[in-house]
Amino acid sequence: MKNTRHRALNAGAVAVSGALSVAIAVQLSAHGVSPALLFACTASCLATFSSLLFRLIGAWSTTTHRCTRPGCDFRVSLTRATAADSQRWQEIAAHHPHRN
């Protein structure tokens, strides 16, 4: 279920990135931009929008557990973890070996 949802989100990100890139290409072509420059700008926009959306999807599906001790910067980040894994890592973060 989670894997299917992640694939759907990634496919949606590619579709949205493609649509935004094409919209920008249409606007640029109306101003007489050369085909080579139009391709470069469209490919650049596609890569930028896709990267942004993939990072947002990754951040949305990542859980971070931190040590509760003030001043301790120990943390664990889990991507698409199950509830059991998340609970286990939360306990490890709360009682990690470097905690004094």
Side-chain angles (χ1 to χ4, degrees), residues 8-23:
L9 285 172
N10 283 339
V14 170
V16 168
S17 298
L20 289 171
S21 298
V22 168

Side-chain angles (χ1 to χ4, degrees), residues 23-100:
I24 290 172
V26 168
Q27 290 177 359
L28 288 175
S29 66
H31 293 286
V33 175
S34 70
L37 187 56
L38 187 63
F39 174 76
C41 290
T42 303
S44 167
C45 288
L46 179 66
T48 301
F49 293 141
S50 295
S51 176
L52 172 67
L53 292 175
F54 291 152
R55 284 181 180 262
L56 288 174
I57 290 168
W60 180 64
S61 64
T62 300
T63 302
T64 301
H65 299 293
R66 294 176 174 84
C67 178
T68 55
R69 192 178 108 217
C72 183
D73 61 353
F74 181 83
R75 67 180 172 187
V76 177
S77 295
L78 307 170
T79 303
R80 296 183 291 152
T82 64
D85 284 339
S86 184
Q87 178 66 30
R88 184 171 62 93
W89 280 103
Q90 185 176 17
E91 291 170 2
I92 290 170
H95 305 290
H96 68 92
H98 297 106
R99 186 177 176 143
N100 294 324

